[in-house]
Amino acid sequence: MGFKRLLDLIIAIPLLILISPLWLFIVIWIKVDSPGPAIFRQQRIGLKGEPFTIYKFRTMVPDADRVMKAKIEQLKKEGKFNADEFVFQEKDDPRITGSGRFLRKTSLDELPQLLNIVNGTMSLVGPRPEVPEIVEQYTPEQRQRLNMPPGVTGLAQINGRSALTLTETLKYDVQYVKNWSPGADIKILWKTIFVVLLGKDAY
């Protein structure tokens, strides 16, 4: 894992410095576009099941997180939670703000996660970190994704992103963990550049 940490710091620290003017512009845009904080904070589950706070630029109305968690809890309560059908983000989600739609399409909303990379709670490449409510539903096979640090991008992000169901995403994540190599990380980073530039399946 020494390679992953070294690669993370070599890329994340210079990027944080270079994007500081862009960061300021995005914060102002979000604040002007809708009420609420510019930075979205949420508890996610990381390496070995440890909780941590993830940072993103806010792309939804302030109470969107509460609505999503309430939806998950209601489905679980009714016994209707189905990972084969559950999709976190829908194309025309009314909770997404005007600035948020652009930030998601360009993946600029992910930039604050560079802070997570620097503090060691995330990596450039890895399984996407989930909310506790979803992790509670994991099968023993799916829990293997917790054996690697969560990433900003990963196998799922270059193979469908938001268009994938939860089950499909988890399969890609477990596949990544089982077959990890330094070369795999570099390949995923390279492919991520083109996925982001094309804006494919980002909403």
Side-chain angles (χ1 to χ4, degrees), residues 97-164:
T97 62
S99 58
R101 203 162 295 280
F102 176 82
L103 293 174
R104 283 172 176 249
K105 189 69 176 177
T106 57
S107 296
L108 289 173
D109 62 314
E110 309 281 357
L111 289 180
Q113 289 170 44
L114 290 170
L115 296 174
N116 287 112
I117 293 173
V118 172
N119 70 24
T121 53
M122 288 183 67
S123 179
L124 284 167
V125 183
R128 283 298 292 169
E130 294 280 17
V131 295
E133 292 80 4
I134 293 296
V135 175
E136 291 171 1
Q137 306 301 308
Y138 281 179
T139 64
E141 170 79 4
Q142 292 166 345
R143 290 194 68 84
Q144 293 183 67
R145 73 193 298 274
L146 301 176
N147 293 332
M148 291 284 279
V152 176
T153 187
L155 208 53
Q157 281 62 52
I158 62 173
N159 285 286
R161 302 176 79 181
S162 302
L164 298 175

